[in-house]
Amino acid sequence: MLSVVEYGQGAPLIIVHGLFGSARNWGVIAKRLSDTRRVIAVDMRNHGSSPWAAPHSYDAMAEDLAEVIGAYGGVAEVIGHSMGGKAAMVLALKFPNLVKRLVVADIAPVAYSHTQQGMIDAMRSVDLGAVATRGDADRLLAKVISEQGVRAFLLQSLDVKARAWRLNLDQLEADMAAILGFPDVPGHFDGPVLVLSGAASEYVTREHRPEFKRLFPAARFAKIPGAGHWLHAEKPREFEAACRAFLDAEAQK
């Protein structure tokens, strides 16, 4: 089963990170939401402490998540960001009885044309044999990535002592087309869905709404002002408040 980090008690809420992320990226938000729920943040396959496995497809990731939910009572609320949002959508479409409520953070059920290959190349460029501290790794990574925030995010997946990335870069590279795409999943999920995007992000547009509505008829849409794609990191309190308001309101119906 996937590696997980648990917080709190009560009905389960699964948090699913995006590409190159991990459960630890979500620690602050998970802890805050755990005041009324049992929050389970997962490491997706080929990330963090979870097994390395092929393929890195959304069908496989959805089955991984179904296994986790099965271990926590068989039904859960789910929050998924980016790649994790796509995996959560496929989970809801394939196993609708497992998902009570779904928050999709800044991603649409469509194929994207950009690539994340540059991030893989950047991580591979770091001479891990020359890394004794995280600062060493940051200085090496700075040669190819100028944005400090991006470097800090990637370096959360570096095991400095082991001098190794906690990411299966080879598998992620091999399946990049599938990660950027979205599978053709029959059916639809009729449960409550909040599509929460960053107002400054271009990942979710009005043109995506018909496809959301086809697959998720009850989908509602909201934006966080001033936030980009990494809305949970850029505006954590606003993100938490929006998720809490949606999940709690739906739970009371």
Side-chain angles (χ1 to χ4, degrees), residues 158-169:
L158 178 64
D159 185 334
V160 176
K161 286 186 178 179
R163 295 181 174 177
W165 294 101
R166 297 189 189 92
L167 297 164
N168 186 350
L169 297 178

Side-chain angles (χ1 to χ4, degrees), residues 7-213:
Y7 307 86
Q9 299 292 325
L13 165 63
I14 311 296
I15 295 181
V16 193
H17 66 76
L19 184 63
F20 308 135
S22 67
R24 65 186 295 182
N25 298 153
W26 287 82
V28 172
I29 288 172
K31 287 174 185 175
R32 289 177 182 164
L33 290 172
S34 70
D35 62 344
T36 56
R37 292 169 168 79
R38 184 178 195 176
V39 180
I40 301 104
V42 304
D43 282 340
M44 296 298 277
R45 62 172 51 206
N46 301 308
H47 290 71
S49 300
S50 282
W52 288 13
H56 197 84
S57 68
Y58 288 113
D59 285 331
M61 287 185 266
E63 290 175 8
D64 291 344
L65 293 173
E67 183 180 20
V68 171
I69 291 173
Y72 288 90
V75 63
E77 299 172 326
V78 183
I79 297 173
H81 171 250
S82 201
M83 178 195 78
K86 284 187 171 181
M89 286 189 280
V90 175
L91 167 74
L93 292 168
K94 291 187 69 173
F95 307 103
N97 59 311
L98 301 186
V99 180
K100 274 187 180 179
R101 289 170 280 279
L102 173 62
V103 177
V104 178
D106 211 66
I107 202 72
V110 300
Y112 288 83
S113 59
H114 65 266
T115 179
Q116 298 294 340
Q117 183 63 41
M119 296 292 187
I120 292 176
D121 294 341
M123 285 183 275
R124 283 185 174 146
S125 76
V126 176
D127 179 5
L128 295 174
V131 170
T133 67
R134 197 164 298 275
D136 293 339
D138 184 61
R139 283 187 289 274
L140 292 171
L141 201 56
K143 295 178 180 179
V144 287
I145 296 179
S146 59
E147 301 92 341
Q148 192 277 332
V150 175
R151 297 198 306 273
F153 167 68
L154 294 177
L155 289 171
Q156 289 191 48
S157 290
L158 178 64
D159 185 334
V160 176
K161 286 186 178 179
R163 295 181 174 177
W165 294 101
R166 297 189 189 92
L167 297 164
N168 186 350
L169 297 178
D170 291 344
Q171 192 64 51
L172 297 175
E173 179 180 45
D175 287 325
M176 186 59 68
I179 294 168
L180 296 175
F182 193 79
D184 183 12
V185 185
H188 47 82
F189 174 72
D190 294 326
V193 177
L194 174 65
V195 180
L196 186 59
S197 53
S201 171
E202 297 179 353
Y203 275 73
V204 179
T205 68
R206 283 198 168 272
E207 288 71 29
H208 295 142
R209 291 194 177 188
E211 187 63 5
F212 268 116
K213 284 295 192 179

